[in-house]
Amino acid sequence: MKWPWLVYALILTVAIPVGMTFSSSMVNREIQELSKDEIQKAQTERDKAITKCNGEIGRFQNIYSQRIDKIKNSLEPLKEFEDIYKQCLFEVKNCQAIFDELQKKSHAAADLADWLSSKSNRMQIRDFAVFEVEKKHSIPAYKAITFRNDIGRCINWLRDSIFALQGYEVRREEIARACPDIPSGISAYLTALEVIKSHSDLVRLSNNTNVLEDFIQELSKKIQP
């Protein structure tokens, strides 16, 4: 069934702002080892970025709701063409469902990035992952520290990528330096990523979305030969 050109235009008024708003509202900031004053400054900047992001989401939600109402009102004259009207209304509801899912994912990503911005949290999850890996893989003693630091870099990549909602480019040689000296090779790193994915705090903050899983899967692909 062909839709009137007016319906296409109405649907586009909803779809276009979704990508533009979410891509422009995300800000990436890497927090490294800094002095106490610099850490406080960086924390303040990050909090401002998160507040701005939440404000953008709220603003967009209001605009989106208004546009949905306008579309529904515009579709009223089509009621006499029952089949077309029902199909158009179905598509509008699909747009609403897509928006709700995007909003849920954006909130989960913000919560995950906020939790991972804490150095103590990152160290906790790193040590947890290394402990579990050593149960299944043999890590040479002389490479234990290097491997631990590698897992820390993996977690930093997750933090930065989730906060920006885009996976950053990284070479395996940069993030898996101990790999050549580990008997099981890259499998040890993949096990660590699986352990991280199942960490209770991260599972809770993911809020039944696939945000964390998607980024871990992307990193897994990047570090494999």
Side-chain angles (χ1 to χ4, degrees):
M1 178 181 299
K2 295 183 178 180
W3 292 7
W5 65 269
L6 173 61
V7 174
Y8 281 118
L10 291 171
I11 295 300
L12 285 175
T13 61
V14 174
I16 291 174
V18 172
M20 294 179 62
T21 302
F22 277 90
S23 61
S24 64
S25 65
M26 291 301 168
V27 182
N28 177 49
R29 181 172 298 275
E30 181 177 3
I31 301 177
Q32 302 174 338
E33 299 300 324
L34 306 171
S35 68
K36 290 184 178 180
D37 289 341
E38 290 173 321
I39 288 177
Q40 183 61 45
K41 182 179 179 181
Q43 184 75 19
T44 300
E45 291 291 330
R46 183 183 60 79
D47 291 343
K48 287 181 180 178
I50 291 175
T51 299
K52 182 179 179 181
C53 178
N54 289 334
E56 284 290 297
I57 291 174
R59 185 179 67 84
F60 174 69
Q61 186 175 19
N62 291 333
I63 294 174
Y64 183 89
S65 297
Q66 292 172 7
R67 291 191 177 184
I68 286 290
D69 290 339
K70 286 183 180 179
I71 290 175
K72 288 180 178 178
N73 292 334
S74 299
L75 292 177
E76 284 295 318
L78 293 178
K79 278 189 174 181
E80 58 183 291
F81 306 100
E82 186 174 357
D83 290 341
I84 296 178
Y85 175 77
K86 287 181 178 179
Q87 184 65 23
C88 292
L89 197 59
F90 174 76
E91 293 300 327
V92 169
K93 289 179 179 178
N94 277 348
C95 288
Q96 181 68 55
I98 291 171
F99 171 75
D100 291 342
E101 182 64 19
L102 284 174
Q103 188 179 41
K104 185 177 180 181
K105 286 184 176 182
S106 71
H107 284 307
D111 290 340
L112 285 165
D114 185 54
W115 192 88
L116 289 170
S117 69
S118 165
K119 182 179 178 180
S120 62
N121 287 341
R122 295 197 306 276
M123 290 176 65
Q124 174 203 125
I125 199 170
R126 178 202 64 190
D127 294 344
F128 169 71
V130 170
F131 177 77
E132 293 298 322
V133 168
E134 289 177 340
K135 293 179 180 180
K136 301 178 180 180
H137 300 270
S138 176
I139 310 297
Y142 69 96
K143 282 295 179 179
I145 294 179
T146 303
F147 178 71
R148 184 178 298 272
N149 290 338
D150 284 348
I151 301 306
R153 293 187 187 93
C154 289
I155 295 170
N156 288 344
W157 183 93
L158 287 171
R159 173 200 62 192
D160 296 339
S161 297
I162 290 173
F163 189 62
L165 285 181
Q166 63 175 2
Y168 287 101
E169 288 301 320
V170 65
R171 293 186 297 112
R172 182 162 59 96
E173 295 77 11
E174 299 172 339
I175 208 167
R177 298 177 182 179
C179 185
D181 298 296
I182 297 176
S184 56
I186 204 66
S187 294
Y189 291 85
L190 298 179
T191 298
L193 291 178
E194 285 298 313
V195 171
I196 292 170
K197 184 173 70 174
S198 65
H199 190 277
S200 59
D201 285 319
L202 297 183
V203 170
R204 171 178 55 81
L205 293 169
S206 293
N207 192 25
N208 295 319
T209 68
N210 57 358
V211 173
L212 179 64
E213 183 178 353
D214 285 349
F215 280 105
I216 285 182
Q217 184 177 16
E218 182 175 349
L219 182 55
S220 297
K221 292 179 179 179
K222 289 179 182 294
I223 66 176
Q224 292 188 61

